[in-house]
Amino acid sequence: MDIQTHIFINTGVLLPIFGGNGQSQDQAVVVASEAKYVLIQLENEFISSMLDEGYWKKVGQSLLINDDGKKYDKITIHNYLDDGDEVQRVFWFDITECFGS
């Protein structure tokens, strides 16, 4: 099952994305070009849909540009779990289509 379908089944929200699960740069979520003006909202919605419990807070965001011209948003969050634990997580988004190469 692709990531777009997975999120749609779990949340009822159809995001303009494809690709990986965002857990690494190699598995980045590819954001389609039509999402350019709602990019931050889309990234936040994706992160929320991927967490099983608790709430989260963004603690870092970096724009990285590879030698091949691909552009990535690397977002670091703290996920506050229901049992009181805190876990740091990183999500990767390929935003090349939003802003061209």
Side-chain angles (χ1 to χ4, degrees):
M1 173 181 332
D2 66 29
I3 196 67
Q4 185 184 47
T5 303
H6 171 78
I7 290 173
F8 181 72
I9 288 170
N10 289 324
T11 68
V13 176
L14 187 60
L15 298 176
I17 60 170
F18 56 96
N21 61 13
Q23 300 301 306
S24 68
Q25 189 174 14
D26 291 342
Q27 297 178 359
V29 175
V30 180
V31 180
S33 61
E34 65 264 20
K36 178 177 183 175
Y37 299 105
V38 293
L39 181 60
I40 302 301
Q41 180 182 353
L42 181 143
E43 290 171 337
N44 291 345
E45 185 69 36
F46 176 84
I47 292 168
S48 291
S49 69
M50 293 302 288
L51 301 177
D52 293 329
E53 64 175 292
Y55 63 98
W56 62 276
K57 177 177 135 179
K58 188 183 301 185
V59 296
Q61 183 168 0
S62 303
L63 173 64
L64 302 165
I65 302 173
N66 281 2
D67 291 338
D68 63 1
K70 283 193 169 193
K71 297 172 178 75
Y72 294 91
D73 254 351
K74 177 184 175 188
I75 298 177
T76 304
I77 68 160
H78 286 172
N79 184 195
Y80 301 96
L81 305 178
D82 295 338
D83 65 4
D85 284 345
E86 178 182 335
V87 178
Q88 181 169 297
R89 300 181 191 271
V90 176
F91 290 91
W92 290 84
F93 297 88
D94 180 340
I95 59 172
T96 306
E97 285 192 27
C98 291
F99 300 102
S101 48

